């Protein structure tokens, strides 16, 4: 552990206890190039956190304030300065481009922008940045247009009325000779009555077409 780096961090924290981890990290790299091999979280755990604990312990001897309160205040302190705004802008930009990005990826990128973000747990980071950005983007999104109402189905066309049956007009007898028609029918009846056998009846019926022609002729006259 570099003693010069520890002295630098102690001096900066005594001047401004709210100095960001990113500022301390950059200053420490100028003092000891080996610091550049650490990531922001490792640097914070190895140097600023140790100095803060040592200063807090020394302060307890001089003041009557309970250490528990000092720890609680330090635990709830949010990243200060422009780093928070830069992280918020970064998270907003990434979520607009890819709403399904993982929280771990956002957390890693945010730590590179502001090393003090490493003091937060993954859940605290998500609650403070991605969740707030998602809510703000959802509120700013235009409401979806309602789907147009479906058009009513056209009413079925009425069935055509059934055509009236065509009744063939019976042929008119006209002013035919009724007496002649009657006489022909009587003559047919007498022949059928006089037929004594089945053969004679068949012979009379064989001449039926002649009777029909005669009757039609009499009806037309």
């Amino acid at each position: 552990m570099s003693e010069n780096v520890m002295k630098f961090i102690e001096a900066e924290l005594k001047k401004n206890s709210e100095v960001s981890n990113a500022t301390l990290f950059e200053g420490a790299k100028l003092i000891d190039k080996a610091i550049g091999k650490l990531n922001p979280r490792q640097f914070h755990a190895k140097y600023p956190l140790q100095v803060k604990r040592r200063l807090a312990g020394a302060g307890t001897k001089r003041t009557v304030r309970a250490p528990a309160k000092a720890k609680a205040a330090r635990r709830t302190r949010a990243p200060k300065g422009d780093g928070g705004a830069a992280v918020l802008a970064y998270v907003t930009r990434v979520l607009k481009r890819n709403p399904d990005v993982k929280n771990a990826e956002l957390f890693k990128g945010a730590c590179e922008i502001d090393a003090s973000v490493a003091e937060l747990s993954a859940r605290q980071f998500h609650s403070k940045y991605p969740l707030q950005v998602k809510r703000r983007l959802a509120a700013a999104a235009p409401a979806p247009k309602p789907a147009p109402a479906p058009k009513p189905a056209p009413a079925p066309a009425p069935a055509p009325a059934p055509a009236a049956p065509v009744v063939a007009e019976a042929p008119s007898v006209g002013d035919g000779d009724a007496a002649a028609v009657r006489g022909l029918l009587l003559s047919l009846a007498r022949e059928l009555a006089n037929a004594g056998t089945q053969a004679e009846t068949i012979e009379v019926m064989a001449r039926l077409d002649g009777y029909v022609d005669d009757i039609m002729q009499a009806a037309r006259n």
Side-chain angles (χ1 to χ4, degrees):
M1 183 180 295
S2 174
E3 187 63 28
N4 291 334
V5 171
M6 295 292 286
K7 290 180 180 179
F8 161 73
I9 293 173
E10 183 175 350
E12 292 297 318
L13 286 173
K14 285 181 179 179
K15 289 189 294 184
N16 179 13
S17 61
E18 304 297 333
V19 63
S20 69
N21 190 65
T23 301
L24 294 174
F25 192 25
E26 294 300 323
K29 286 190 289 185
L30 296 176
I31 296 172
D32 187 350
K33 294 182 179 180
I35 298 295
K37 297 179 181 180
L38 305 175
N39 61 39
R41 184 178 296 181
Q42 291 171 331
F43 167 75
H44 178 264
K46 188 171 183 179
Y47 291 101
L49 187 60
Q50 300 300 324
V51 173
K52 288 178 182 179
R53 288 175 178 173
R54 188 169 63 189
L55 293 177
T60 303
K61 298 177 181 179
R62 295 191 299 270
T63 65
V64 295
R65 187 172 58 185
K69 293 183 179 180
K71 290 181 179 180
R74 186 166 61 251
R75 185 168 54 251
T76 57
R77 186 171 64 244
K80 302 294 183 179
D82 295 337
V87 170
L88 194 63
Y90 160 75
V91 172
T92 301
R93 184 171 62 254
V94 174
L95 284 174
K96 283 183 177 180
R97 185 172 63 248
N98 180 16
D100 298 325
V101 64
K102 301 295 183 181
N103 186 64
E105 184 177 344
L106 290 172
F107 192 25
K108 181 179 179 181
C111 289
E112 294 177 357
I113 294 174
D114 186 351
S116 62
V117 173
E119 299 177 18
L120 304 175
S121 67
R123 181 175 297 180
Q124 289 172 330
F125 168 77
H126 179 263
S127 177
K128 185 173 182 63
Y129 293 105
L131 185 60
Q132 299 302 323
V133 172
K134 288 179 180 179
R135 287 175 178 172
R136 188 173 62 188
L137 293 178
K145 295 182 179 179
K151 296 182 179 180
V166 179
V167 180
E169 184 177 355
S172 176
V173 175
D175 298 329
D177 190 345
V181 172
R182 188 181 304 111
L184 290 169
L185 291 174
L186 289 173
S187 176
L188 175 61
R190 279 195 298 269
E191 284 199 49
L192 288 173
N194 292 331
T197 64
Q198 186 177 4
E200 290 177 352
T201 301
I202 293 175
E203 184 179 353
V204 173
M205 294 302 296
R207 295 195 301 273
L208 185 61
D209 288 341
Y211 275 102
V212 172
D213 290 341
D214 292 342
I215 290 171
M216 293 297 293
Q217 183 65 33
R220 286 195 291 269
N221 291 337

